[in-house]
Amino acid sequence: ETLGISKAEPYWSIGSGGHLAMGSLFDKTTNLDWNTKHADYAKEAIEAAKVHDPYTRGKVTGYRSYPSGKIITISE
């Protein structure tokens, strides 16, 4: 994998396992509670990448970004 960023509204991923995380996130965007539970879904996406990608392991960090430019760390 590369460290290129794969961006798809309203989420993005980077690094090994990113394609798996994006698949997990895509599956959740149709849920009616996406706007309130997207941080939980991001953690589930990281777990999906760790389970199915041999290079995604250990502590993985996620980030939540806002239109204002603010970024919050989401640690798994």
Side-chain angles (χ1 to χ4, degrees):
E1 296 283 343
T2 68
L3 290 180
I5 296 174
S6 298
K7 184 176 180 185
E9 294 295 331
Y11 48 82
W12 52 272
S13 67
I14 185 171
S16 181
H19 61 291
L20 295 162
M22 287 191 74
S24 176
L25 288 169
F26 173 77
D27 182 56
K28 304 294 190 296
T29 57
T30 57
N31 290 357
L32 296 177
D33 60 359
W34 168 260
N35 288 329
T36 57
K37 296 195 72 170
H38 61 275
D40 295 330
Y41 295 148
K43 288 180 182 180
E44 289 177 17
I46 290 170
E47 282 301 313
K50 288 174 74 172
V51 168
H52 298 287
D53 181 74
Y55 304 106
T56 304
R57 59 181 171 264
K59 184 175 179 175
V60 177
T61 302
Y63 300 92
R64 187 185 324 168
S65 60
Y66 295 89
S68 67
K70 180 178 179 179
I71 298 175
I72 295 177
T73 304
I74 303 170
S75 293
E76 167 278 316

Short mmCIF file of all heavy atoms in Angstrom, two decimals:
data_model
loop_
_atom_site.label_atom_id
_atom_site.label_comp_id
_atom_site.label_asym_id
_atom_site.label_seq_id
_atom_site.Cartn_x
_atom_site.Cartn_y
_atom_site.Cartn_z
N GLU A 1 0.84 -1.18 0.00
CA GLU A 1 0.00 0.00 0.00
C GLU A 1 0.88 1.24 0.00
O GLU A 1 2.00 1.23 0.44
CB GLU A 1 -0.88 0.01 1.24
CG GLU A 1 -1.86 -1.12 1.33
CD GLU A 1 -3.08 -0.91 0.43
OE1 GLU A 1 -3.33 0.22 -0.02
OE2 GLU A 1 -3.76 -1.89 0.17
N THR A 2 0.31 2.32 -0.45
CA THR A 2 1.00 3.60 -0.42
C THR A 2 0.42 4.44 0.70
O THR A 2 -0.55 4.07 1.33
CB THR A 2 0.82 4.35 -1.75
OG1 THR A 2 -0.56 4.71 -1.86
CG2 THR A 2 1.22 3.48 -2.93
N LEU A 3 1.03 5.57 0.91
CA LEU A 3 0.49 6.49 1.90
C LEU A 3 -0.39 7.54 1.24
O LEU A 3 -0.66 8.58 1.80
CB LEU A 3 1.62 7.15 2.69
CG LEU A 3 2.34 6.21 3.64
CD1 LEU A 3 3.44 6.94 4.38
CD2 LEU A 3 1.39 5.57 4.63
N GLY A 4 -0.84 7.26 0.02
CA GLY A 4 -1.76 8.18 -0.64
C GLY A 4 -3.10 8.19 0.06
O GLY A 4 -3.53 7.20 0.64
N ILE A 5 -3.76 9.32 0.03
CA ILE A 5 -5.05 9.46 0.67
C ILE A 5 -6.15 9.13 -0.33
O ILE A 5 -6.16 9.64 -1.43
CB ILE A 5 -5.25 10.89 1.21
CG1 ILE A 5 -4.22 11.19 2.29
CG2 ILE A 5 -6.66 11.08 1.74
CD1 ILE A 5 -4.24 12.61 2.79
N SER A 6 -7.05 8.26 0.09
CA SER A 6 -8.23 7.96 -0.71
C SER A 6 -9.38 8.74 -0.11
O SER A 6 -9.75 8.53 1.04
CB SER A 6 -8.55 6.46 -0.66
OG SER A 6 -7.48 5.72 -1.20
N LYS A 7 -9.94 9.67 -0.87
CA LYS A 7 -10.99 10.53 -0.34
C LYS A 7 -12.30 10.26 -1.05
O LYS A 7 -12.36 10.15 -2.26
CB LYS A 7 -10.61 12.00 -0.53
CG LYS A 7 -11.60 12.95 0.08
CD LYS A 7 -11.13 14.38 -0.04
CE LYS A 7 -12.17 15.29 0.58
NZ LYS A 7 -11.86 16.69 0.40
N ALA A 8 -13.33 10.10 -0.25
CA ALA A 8 -14.69 9.95 -0.76
C ALA A 8 -15.60 10.63 0.25
O ALA A 8 -15.52 10.34 1.44
CB ALA A 8 -15.04 8.48 -0.92
N GLU A 9 -16.42 11.53 -0.18
CA GLU A 9 -17.29 12.24 0.75
C GLU A 9 -18.27 11.29 1.41
O GLU A 9 -18.83 10.46 0.72
CB GLU A 9 -18.07 13.33 0.01
CG GLU A 9 -17.20 14.45 -0.53
CD GLU A 9 -16.52 15.26 0.54
OE1 GLU A 9 -17.07 15.37 1.65
OE2 GLU A 9 -15.42 15.76 0.29
N PRO A 10 -18.46 11.31 2.69
CA PRO A 10 -17.93 12.25 3.68
C PRO A 10 -16.78 11.67 4.51
O PRO A 10 -16.67 11.96 5.68
CB PRO A 10 -19.16 12.50 4.56
CG PRO A 10 -19.85 11.16 4.59
CD PRO A 10 -19.59 10.56 3.23
N TYR A 11 -15.92 10.84 3.95
CA TYR A 11 -14.83 10.22 4.70
C TYR A 11 -13.61 10.06 3.81
O TYR A 11 -13.67 10.25 2.61
CB TYR A 11 -15.26 8.85 5.25
CG TYR A 11 -15.92 7.98 4.20
CD1 TYR A 11 -15.15 7.25 3.30
CD2 TYR A 11 -17.30 7.91 4.08
CE1 TYR A 11 -15.75 6.47 2.32
CE2 TYR A 11 -17.90 7.14 3.12
CZ TYR A 11 -17.12 6.42 2.24
OH TYR A 11 -17.69 5.66 1.27
N TRP A 12 -12.46 9.70 4.43
CA TRP A 12 -11.24 9.42 3.68
C TRP A 12 -10.42 8.41 4.44
O TRP A 12 -10.67 8.15 5.61
CB TRP A 12 -10.45 10.70 3.41
CG TRP A 12 -10.16 11.55 4.61
CD1 TRP A 12 -10.97 12.54 5.12
CD2 TRP A 12 -9.03 11.48 5.45
NE1 TRP A 12 -10.39 13.08 6.23
CE2 TRP A 12 -9.18 12.46 6.47
CE3 TRP A 12 -7.88 10.70 5.47
CZ2 TRP A 12 -8.25 12.66 7.45
CZ3 TRP A 12 -6.94 10.91 6.47
CH2 TRP A 12 -7.14 11.89 7.44
N SER A 13 -9.44 7.81 3.78
CA SER A 13 -8.56 6.84 4.44
C SER A 13 -7.16 6.97 3.87
O SER A 13 -6.95 7.52 2.80
CB SER A 13 -9.08 5.41 4.25
OG SER A 13 -8.99 5.05 2.89
N ILE A 14 -6.20 6.45 4.62
CA ILE A 14 -4.81 6.52 4.20
C ILE A 14 -4.08 5.27 4.67
O ILE A 14 -4.40 4.72 5.72
CB ILE A 14 -4.12 7.80 4.77
CG1 ILE A 14 -2.70 7.95 4.24
CG2 ILE A 14 -4.14 7.79 6.29
CD1 ILE A 14 -2.06 9.27 4.58
N GLY A 15 -3.16 4.79 3.87
CA GLY A 15 -2.28 3.71 4.29
C GLY A 15 -2.83 2.31 4.11
O GLY A 15 -3.89 2.09 3.54
N SER A 16 -2.05 1.36 4.62
CA SER A 16 -2.41 -0.04 4.52
C SER A 16 -3.75 -0.29 5.19
O SER A 16 -4.02 0.19 6.27
CB SER A 16 -1.33 -0.88 5.21
OG SER A 16 -1.62 -2.24 5.10
N GLY A 17 -4.61 -1.02 4.51
CA GLY A 17 -5.93 -1.32 5.05
C GLY A 17 -6.95 -0.24 4.77
O GLY A 17 -8.12 -0.39 5.10
N GLY A 18 -6.51 0.85 4.16
CA GLY A 18 -7.41 1.97 3.89
C GLY A 18 -8.60 1.58 3.02
O GLY A 18 -9.71 2.03 3.25
N HIS A 19 -8.35 0.73 2.04
CA HIS A 19 -9.45 0.31 1.16
C HIS A 19 -10.50 -0.50 1.93
O HIS A 19 -11.69 -0.41 1.67
CB HIS A 19 -8.92 -0.47 -0.03
CG HIS A 19 -8.19 -1.72 0.32
ND1 HIS A 19 -6.96 -1.72 0.95
CD2 HIS A 19 -8.52 -3.02 0.15
CE1 HIS A 19 -6.58 -2.96 1.14
NE2 HIS A 19 -7.51 -3.77 0.67
N LEU A 20 -10.05 -1.28 2.91
CA LEU A 20 -10.98 -2.04 3.75
C LEU A 20 -11.77 -1.10 4.67
O LEU A 20 -12.98 -1.27 4.84
CB LEU A 20 -10.22 -3.07 4.58
CG LEU A 20 -9.54 -4.16 3.76
CD1 LEU A 20 -8.47 -4.85 4.58
CD2 LEU A 20 -10.57 -5.16 3.27
N ALA A 21 -11.07 -0.12 5.22
CA ALA A 21 -11.75 0.84 6.08
C ALA A 21 -12.79 1.62 5.28
O ALA A 21 -13.90 1.86 5.75
CB ALA A 21 -10.74 1.79 6.71
N MET A 22 -12.45 2.00 4.05
CA MET A 22 -13.40 2.75 3.23
C MET A 22 -14.63 1.91 2.92
O MET A 22 -15.76 2.42 2.90
CB MET A 22 -12.75 3.23 1.94
CG MET A 22 -11.80 4.39 2.20
SD MET A 22 -11.25 5.19 0.70
CE MET A 22 -12.72 6.09 0.26
N GLY A 23 -14.45 0.63 2.68
CA GLY A 23 -15.59 -0.26 2.43
C GLY A 23 -16.51 -0.31 3.63
O GLY A 23 -17.73 -0.26 3.50
N SER A 24 -15.92 -0.39 4.81
CA SER A 24 -16.71 -0.42 6.03
C SER A 24 -17.46 0.89 6.22
O SER A 24 -18.65 0.89 6.57
CB SER A 24 -15.80 -0.68 7.23
OG SER A 24 -16.52 -0.64 8.43
N LEU A 25 -16.79 2.01 5.98
CA LEU A 25 -17.44 3.31 6.13
C LEU A 25 -18.56 3.49 5.12
O LEU A 25 -19.64 3.98 5.46
CB LEU A 25 -16.41 4.44 5.97
CG LEU A 25 -15.44 4.59 7.13
CD1 LEU A 25 -14.33 5.54 6.75
CD2 LEU A 25 -16.17 5.07 8.38
N PHE A 26 -18.33 3.07 3.88
CA PHE A 26 -19.36 3.19 2.85
C PHE A 26 -20.62 2.46 3.27
O PHE A 26 -21.74 2.95 3.09
CB PHE A 26 -18.86 2.67 1.52
CG PHE A 26 -19.93 2.62 0.47
CD1 PHE A 26 -20.34 3.78 -0.16
CD2 PHE A 26 -20.56 1.43 0.16
CE1 PHE A 26 -21.35 3.75 -1.11
CE2 PHE A 26 -21.56 1.38 -0.79
CZ PHE A 26 -21.97 2.55 -1.43
N ASP A 27 -20.43 1.30 3.84
CA ASP A 27 -21.57 0.49 4.27
C ASP A 27 -22.42 1.21 5.31
O ASP A 27 -23.61 1.00 5.40
CB ASP A 27 -21.08 -0.84 4.82
CG ASP A 27 -22.21 -1.75 5.25
OD1 ASP A 27 -23.08 -2.03 4.40
OD2 ASP A 27 -22.21 -2.17 6.41
N LYS A 28 -21.80 2.09 6.10
CA LYS A 28 -22.51 2.77 7.19
C LYS A 28 -23.14 4.09 6.78
O LYS A 28 -24.00 4.60 7.48
CB LYS A 28 -21.54 3.04 8.35
CG LYS A 28 -20.84 1.82 8.90
CD LYS A 28 -21.80 0.86 9.55
CE LYS A 28 -21.13 -0.24 10.32
NZ LYS A 28 -20.33 -1.17 9.58
N THR A 29 -22.75 4.68 5.65
CA THR A 29 -23.25 6.01 5.30
C THR A 29 -24.74 6.02 5.03
O THR A 29 -25.37 7.08 5.08
CB THR A 29 -22.52 6.58 4.06
OG1 THR A 29 -22.67 5.69 2.96
CG2 THR A 29 -21.06 6.84 4.36
N THR A 30 -25.33 4.87 4.75
CA THR A 30 -26.77 4.83 4.51
C THR A 30 -27.58 4.72 5.81
O THR A 30 -28.79 4.84 5.78
CB THR A 30 -27.13 3.64 3.59
OG1 THR A 30 -26.66 2.43 4.18
CG2 THR A 30 -26.51 3.81 2.21
N ASN A 31 -26.88 4.52 6.93
CA ASN A 31 -27.58 4.44 8.21
C ASN A 31 -28.13 5.81 8.59
O ASN A 31 -27.46 6.83 8.42
CB ASN A 31 -26.64 3.95 9.32
CG ASN A 31 -26.28 2.49 9.15
OD1 ASN A 31 -26.76 1.82 8.25
ND2 ASN A 31 -25.41 2.01 10.02
N LEU A 32 -29.33 5.85 9.13
CA LEU A 32 -29.96 7.12 9.49
C LEU A 32 -29.21 7.86 10.59
O LEU A 32 -29.33 9.08 10.70
CB LEU A 32 -31.41 6.87 9.93
CG LEU A 32 -32.33 6.32 8.83
CD1 LEU A 32 -33.71 6.04 9.41
CD2 LEU A 32 -32.41 7.27 7.65
N ASP A 33 -28.40 7.15 11.37
CA ASP A 33 -27.67 7.80 12.47
C ASP A 33 -26.23 8.16 12.10
O ASP A 33 -25.41 8.42 12.96
CB ASP A 33 -27.70 6.93 13.72
CG ASP A 33 -27.06 5.56 13.50
OD1 ASP A 33 -26.61 5.27 12.37
OD2 ASP A 33 -27.01 4.79 14.48
N TRP A 34 -25.90 8.21 10.80
CA TRP A 34 -24.54 8.52 10.35
C TRP A 34 -24.02 9.81 10.98
O TRP A 34 -22.89 9.88 11.46
CB TRP A 34 -24.47 8.60 8.83
CG TRP A 34 -23.17 9.18 8.34
CD1 TRP A 34 -22.95 10.45 7.92
CD2 TRP A 34 -21.92 8.50 8.24
NE1 TRP A 34 -21.63 10.61 7.56
CE2 TRP A 34 -20.98 9.43 7.76
CE3 TRP A 34 -21.49 7.21 8.52
CZ2 TRP A 34 -19.64 9.11 7.54
CZ3 TRP A 34 -20.16 6.89 8.31
CH2 TRP A 34 -19.25 7.83 7.83
N ASN A 35 -24.82 10.86 11.00
CA ASN A 35 -24.36 12.16 11.50
C ASN A 35 -24.02 12.16 12.98
O ASN A 35 -23.18 12.94 13.42
CB ASN A 35 -25.38 13.25 11.20
CG ASN A 35 -25.43 13.59 9.73
OD1 ASN A 35 -24.43 13.50 9.03
ND2 ASN A 35 -26.60 13.95 9.26
N THR A 36 -24.63 11.28 13.74
CA THR A 36 -24.34 11.25 15.18
C THR A 36 -23.39 10.13 15.58
O THR A 36 -22.78 10.21 16.64
CB THR A 36 -25.64 11.10 16.00
OG1 THR A 36 -26.32 9.91 15.58
CG2 THR A 36 -26.55 12.31 15.80
N LYS A 37 -23.25 9.10 14.75
CA LYS A 37 -22.43 7.95 15.13
C LYS A 37 -21.22 7.74 14.22
O LYS A 37 -20.58 6.69 14.28
CB LYS A 37 -23.29 6.69 15.15
CG LYS A 37 -24.39 6.74 16.21
CD LYS A 37 -24.98 5.41 16.46
CE LYS A 37 -23.95 4.60 17.21
NZ LYS A 37 -24.43 3.35 17.74
N HIS A 38 -20.86 8.72 13.39
CA HIS A 38 -19.76 8.49 12.45
C HIS A 38 -18.43 8.19 13.14
O HIS A 38 -17.62 7.45 12.62
CB HIS A 38 -19.63 9.63 11.44
CG HIS A 38 -19.35 10.95 12.03
ND1 HIS A 38 -20.35 11.77 12.49
CD2 HIS A 38 -18.19 11.59 12.26
CE1 HIS A 38 -19.81 12.88 12.96
NE2 HIS A 38 -18.51 12.79 12.85
N ALA A 39 -18.21 8.72 14.34
CA ALA A 39 -16.97 8.41 15.06
C ALA A 39 -16.93 6.94 15.46
O ALA A 39 -15.88 6.29 15.37
CB ALA A 39 -16.82 9.31 16.29
N ASP A 40 -18.06 6.40 15.88
CA ASP A 40 -18.13 4.97 16.21
C ASP A 40 -17.89 4.13 14.96
O ASP A 40 -17.21 3.10 15.00
CB ASP A 40 -19.49 4.62 16.80
CG ASP A 40 -19.73 5.29 18.15
OD1 ASP A 40 -18.76 5.55 18.88
OD2 ASP A 40 -20.90 5.56 18.45
N TYR A 41 -18.46 4.56 13.85
CA TYR A 41 -18.28 3.82 12.59
C TYR A 41 -16.83 3.87 12.13
O TYR A 41 -16.32 2.91 11.55
CB TYR A 41 -19.21 4.37 11.51
CG TYR A 41 -20.67 4.16 11.81
CD1 TYR A 41 -21.61 5.06 11.39
CD2 TYR A 41 -21.11 3.04 12.52
CE1 TYR A 41 -22.96 4.87 11.66
CE2 TYR A 41 -22.45 2.84 12.79
CZ TYR A 41 -23.37 3.77 12.36
OH TYR A 41 -24.70 3.56 12.62
N ALA A 42 -16.15 4.98 12.41
CA ALA A 42 -14.74 5.08 12.05
C ALA A 42 -13.91 4.07 12.85
O ALA A 42 -13.01 3.43 12.31
CB ALA A 42 -14.23 6.50 12.29
N LYS A 43 -14.21 3.92 14.12
CA LYS A 43 -13.51 2.93 14.94
C LYS A 43 -13.77 1.52 14.41
O LYS A 43 -12.86 0.69 14.35
CB LYS A 43 -13.94 3.03 16.40
CG LYS A 43 -13.40 4.27 17.08
CD LYS A 43 -13.85 4.34 18.53
CE LYS A 43 -13.34 5.61 19.18
NZ LYS A 43 -13.73 5.71 20.57
N GLU A 44 -15.00 1.24 14.00
CA GLU A 44 -15.32 -0.07 13.42
C GLU A 44 -14.55 -0.28 12.11
O GLU A 44 -14.10 -1.39 11.82
CB GLU A 44 -16.82 -0.18 13.16
CG GLU A 44 -17.65 -0.28 14.41
CD GLU A 44 -19.14 -0.32 14.13
OE1 GLU A 44 -19.54 -0.58 12.97
OE2 GLU A 44 -19.92 -0.08 15.06
N ALA A 45 -14.38 0.78 11.34
CA ALA A 45 -13.65 0.68 10.08
C ALA A 45 -12.18 0.35 10.33
O ALA A 45 -11.57 -0.45 9.61
CB ALA A 45 -13.78 1.98 9.30
N ILE A 46 -11.60 0.94 11.37
CA ILE A 46 -10.21 0.63 11.72
C ILE A 46 -10.10 -0.83 12.14
O ILE A 46 -9.17 -1.54 11.75
CB ILE A 46 -9.71 1.58 12.85
CG1 ILE A 46 -9.55 3.00 12.30
CG2 ILE A 46 -8.39 1.07 13.42
CD1 ILE A 46 -9.29 4.05 13.36
N GLU A 47 -11.06 -1.31 12.91
CA GLU A 47 -11.06 -2.72 13.32
C GLU A 47 -11.17 -3.64 12.11
O GLU A 47 -10.50 -4.67 12.04
CB GLU A 47 -12.20 -3.00 14.30
CG GLU A 47 -11.91 -2.54 15.71
CD GLU A 47 -10.66 -3.20 16.28
OE1 GLU A 47 -10.50 -4.43 16.16
OE2 GLU A 47 -9.85 -2.46 16.85
N ALA A 48 -12.01 -3.28 11.14
CA ALA A 48 -12.14 -4.09 9.92
C ALA A 48 -10.80 -4.17 9.19
O ALA A 48 -10.41 -5.24 8.72
CB ALA A 48 -13.21 -3.50 9.01
N ALA A 49 -10.10 -3.06 9.11
CA ALA A 49 -8.79 -3.05 8.45
C ALA A 49 -7.80 -3.93 9.20
O ALA A 49 -7.03 -4.68 8.60
CB ALA A 49 -8.27 -1.62 8.34
N LYS A 50 -7.82 -3.86 10.54
CA LYS A 50 -6.89 -4.66 11.33
C LYS A 50 -7.16 -6.16 11.19
O LYS A 50 -6.24 -6.96 11.19
CB LYS A 50 -6.96 -4.24 12.80
CG LYS A 50 -6.32 -2.89 13.05
CD LYS A 50 -6.51 -2.42 14.46
CE LYS A 50 -5.65 -3.17 15.43
NZ LYS A 50 -5.69 -2.61 16.79
N VAL A 51 -8.43 -6.54 11.06
CA VAL A 51 -8.78 -7.95 10.95
C VAL A 51 -8.40 -8.51 9.59
O VAL A 51 -7.93 -9.64 9.48
CB VAL A 51 -10.30 -8.14 11.20
CG1 VAL A 51 -10.75 -9.54 10.81
CG2 VAL A 51 -10.63 -7.87 12.66
N HIS A 52 -8.57 -7.71 8.54
CA HIS A 52 -8.42 -8.24 7.18
C HIS A 52 -7.15 -7.82 6.45
O HIS A 52 -6.94 -8.28 5.32
CB HIS A 52 -9.64 -7.84 6.35
CG HIS A 52 -10.91 -8.42 6.89
ND1 HIS A 52 -11.23 -9.75 6.79
CD2 HIS A 52 -11.93 -7.84 7.57
CE1 HIS A 52 -12.39 -9.97 7.36
NE2 HIS A 52 -12.83 -8.83 7.86
N ASP A 53 -6.33 -6.98 7.03
CA ASP A 53 -5.10 -6.55 6.37
C ASP A 53 -3.90 -6.91 7.26
O ASP A 53 -3.82 -6.45 8.39
CB ASP A 53 -5.12 -5.04 6.12
CG ASP A 53 -3.87 -4.57 5.42
OD1 ASP A 53 -3.73 -4.83 4.22
OD2 ASP A 53 -3.01 -3.96 6.09
N PRO A 54 -2.97 -7.73 6.76
CA PRO A 54 -1.86 -8.17 7.61
C PRO A 54 -0.89 -7.06 7.99
O PRO A 54 -0.11 -7.22 8.92
CB PRO A 54 -1.16 -9.22 6.74
CG PRO A 54 -1.50 -8.87 5.34
CD PRO A 54 -2.89 -8.29 5.41
N TYR A 55 -0.93 -5.93 7.31
CA TYR A 55 -0.02 -4.83 7.62
C TYR A 55 -0.63 -3.77 8.52
O TYR A 55 0.03 -2.83 8.91
CB TYR A 55 0.48 -4.19 6.31
CG TYR A 55 1.13 -5.20 5.41
CD1 TYR A 55 0.47 -5.66 4.28
CD2 TYR A 55 2.37 -5.72 5.72
CE1 TYR A 55 1.06 -6.62 3.46
CE2 TYR A 55 2.97 -6.68 4.91
CZ TYR A 55 2.30 -7.12 3.78
OH TYR A 55 2.87 -8.06 2.98
N THR A 56 -1.91 -3.92 8.84
CA THR A 56 -2.59 -2.98 9.74
C THR A 56 -2.70 -3.67 11.09
O THR A 56 -3.47 -4.59 11.26
CB THR A 56 -3.99 -2.63 9.21
OG1 THR A 56 -3.88 -2.11 7.90
CG2 THR A 56 -4.66 -1.60 10.10
N ARG A 57 -1.90 -3.23 12.03
CA ARG A 57 -1.90 -3.85 13.35
C ARG A 57 -1.35 -2.87 14.39
O ARG A 57 -0.88 -1.80 14.04
CB ARG A 57 -1.09 -5.13 13.34
CG ARG A 57 0.34 -4.93 12.94
CD ARG A 57 1.09 -6.26 12.92
NE ARG A 57 2.39 -6.09 12.33
CZ ARG A 57 2.68 -6.32 11.07
NH1 ARG A 57 1.77 -6.74 10.25
NH2 ARG A 57 3.89 -6.14 10.62
N GLY A 58 -1.41 -3.28 15.62
CA GLY A 58 -0.95 -2.41 16.69
C GLY A 58 -1.91 -1.26 16.91
O GLY A 58 -3.08 -1.34 16.56
N LYS A 59 -1.40 -0.19 17.45
CA LYS A 59 -2.24 0.98 17.70
C LYS A 59 -2.42 1.76 16.40
O LYS A 59 -1.45 2.11 15.74
CB LYS A 59 -1.62 1.87 18.76
CG LYS A 59 -2.49 3.03 19.12
CD LYS A 59 -1.91 3.84 20.25
CE LYS A 59 -2.87 4.99 20.51
NZ LYS A 59 -2.47 5.76 21.66
N VAL A 60 -3.65 2.00 16.04
CA VAL A 60 -3.99 2.75 14.84
C VAL A 60 -4.76 3.98 15.28
O VAL A 60 -5.64 3.90 16.14
CB VAL A 60 -4.85 1.91 13.87
CG1 VAL A 60 -5.25 2.72 12.65
CG2 VAL A 60 -4.09 0.65 13.45
N THR A 61 -4.43 5.12 14.71
CA THR A 61 -5.08 6.36 15.09
C THR A 61 -5.95 6.87 13.95
O THR A 61 -5.53 6.87 12.80
CB THR A 61 -4.03 7.44 15.43
OG1 THR A 61 -3.21 6.94 16.49
CG2 THR A 61 -4.68 8.73 15.89
N GLY A 62 -7.14 7.30 14.30
CA GLY A 62 -8.04 7.92 13.33
C GLY A 62 -8.21 9.39 13.67
O GLY A 62 -7.89 9.82 14.78
N TYR A 63 -8.68 10.15 12.72
CA TYR A 63 -8.86 11.58 12.92
C TYR A 63 -10.23 12.01 12.42
O TYR A 63 -10.69 11.54 11.39
CB TYR A 63 -7.80 12.38 12.17
CG TYR A 63 -6.41 12.04 12.61
CD1 TYR A 63 -5.68 11.04 11.97
CD2 TYR A 63 -5.83 12.68 13.69
CE1 TYR A 63 -4.41 10.70 12.39
CE2 TYR A 63 -4.54 12.35 14.11
CZ TYR A 63 -3.85 11.35 13.46
OH TYR A 63 -2.59 11.02 13.88
N ARG A 64 -10.86 12.87 13.16
CA ARG A 64 -12.13 13.46 12.74
C ARG A 64 -11.84 14.92 12.37
O ARG A 64 -11.29 15.67 13.18
CB ARG A 64 -13.14 13.41 13.86
CG ARG A 64 -14.51 13.86 13.42
CD ARG A 64 -15.52 13.93 14.54
NE ARG A 64 -15.38 12.89 15.54
CZ ARG A 64 -16.01 12.90 16.70
NH1 ARG A 64 -16.81 13.89 17.02
NH2 ARG A 64 -15.84 11.93 17.57
N SER A 65 -12.16 15.31 11.15
CA SER A 65 -11.90 16.69 10.73
C SER A 65 -13.23 17.41 10.49
O SER A 65 -14.23 16.79 10.15
CB SER A 65 -11.04 16.72 9.48
OG SER A 65 -11.67 16.06 8.41
N TYR A 66 -13.20 18.70 10.69
CA TYR A 66 -14.39 19.54 10.57
C TYR A 66 -14.18 20.61 9.50
O TYR A 66 -13.03 20.98 9.21
CB TYR A 66 -14.69 20.22 11.91
CG TYR A 66 -15.04 19.24 12.99
CD1 TYR A 66 -14.06 18.66 13.80
CD2 TYR A 66 -16.36 18.87 13.21
CE1 TYR A 66 -14.39 17.75 14.78
CE2 TYR A 66 -16.69 17.95 14.20
CZ TYR A 66 -15.71 17.42 14.98
OH TYR A 66 -16.03 16.51 15.95
N PRO A 67 -15.25 21.13 8.92
CA PRO A 67 -15.11 22.19 7.92
C PRO A 67 -14.33 23.41 8.42
O PRO A 67 -13.69 24.10 7.65
CB PRO A 67 -16.56 22.57 7.59
CG PRO A 67 -17.34 21.34 7.89
CD PRO A 67 -16.64 20.71 9.08
N SER A 68 -14.35 23.64 9.72
CA SER A 68 -13.63 24.78 10.29
C SER A 68 -12.11 24.58 10.29
O SER A 68 -11.36 25.51 10.54
CB SER A 68 -14.08 25.01 11.74
OG SER A 68 -13.67 23.91 12.55
N GLY A 69 -11.68 23.34 10.01
CA GLY A 69 -10.26 23.02 10.05
C GLY A 69 -9.85 22.31 11.32
O GLY A 69 -8.74 21.82 11.44
N LYS A 70 -10.72 22.23 12.29
CA LYS A 70 -10.44 21.55 13.55
C LYS A 70 -10.32 20.04 13.30
O LYS A 70 -11.07 19.47 12.52
CB LYS A 70 -11.59 21.82 14.54
CG LYS A 70 -11.40 21.16 15.88
CD LYS A 70 -12.57 21.52 16.79
CE LYS A 70 -12.40 20.86 18.13
NZ LYS A 70 -13.49 21.21 19.06
N ILE A 71 -9.36 19.42 13.97
CA ILE A 71 -9.14 17.98 13.85
C ILE A 71 -9.07 17.38 15.25
O ILE A 71 -8.38 17.89 16.11
CB ILE A 71 -7.83 17.69 13.08
CG1 ILE A 71 -7.92 18.22 11.67
CG2 ILE A 71 -7.55 16.19 13.09
CD1 ILE A 71 -6.65 18.10 10.88
N ILE A 72 -9.79 16.29 15.44
CA ILE A 72 -9.79 15.55 16.71
C ILE A 72 -9.25 14.15 16.47
O ILE A 72 -9.63 13.49 15.51
CB ILE A 72 -11.21 15.47 17.30
CG1 ILE A 72 -11.72 16.86 17.68
CG2 ILE A 72 -11.26 14.55 18.51
CD1 ILE A 72 -13.14 16.86 18.18
N THR A 73 -8.36 13.69 17.34
CA THR A 73 -7.80 12.36 17.25
C THR A 73 -8.77 11.34 17.82
O THR A 73 -9.34 11.54 18.89
CB THR A 73 -6.47 12.27 18.01
OG1 THR A 73 -5.59 13.25 17.49
CG2 THR A 73 -5.84 10.90 17.88
N ILE A 74 -8.95 10.23 17.09
CA ILE A 74 -9.77 9.11 17.54
C ILE A 74 -8.85 7.91 17.64
O ILE A 74 -8.47 7.35 16.62
CB ILE A 74 -10.90 8.80 16.54
CG1 ILE A 74 -11.78 10.02 16.32
CG2 ILE A 74 -11.73 7.63 17.03
CD1 ILE A 74 -12.74 9.85 15.17
N SER A 75 -8.43 7.55 18.82
CA SER A 75 -7.54 6.41 18.99
C SER A 75 -8.35 5.14 19.15
O SER A 75 -9.36 5.11 19.82
CB SER A 75 -6.63 6.60 20.19
OG SER A 75 -5.74 7.65 19.95
N GLU A 76 -7.86 4.09 18.54
CA GLU A 76 -8.51 2.78 18.61
C GLU A 76 -7.98 2.09 19.84
O GLU A 76 -6.89 2.20 20.25
CB GLU A 76 -8.20 2.03 17.32
CG GLU A 76 -8.51 0.57 17.32
CD GLU A 76 -7.44 -0.25 17.96
OE1 GLU A 76 -6.27 -0.04 17.71
OE2 GLU A 76 -7.80 -1.13 18.75
#
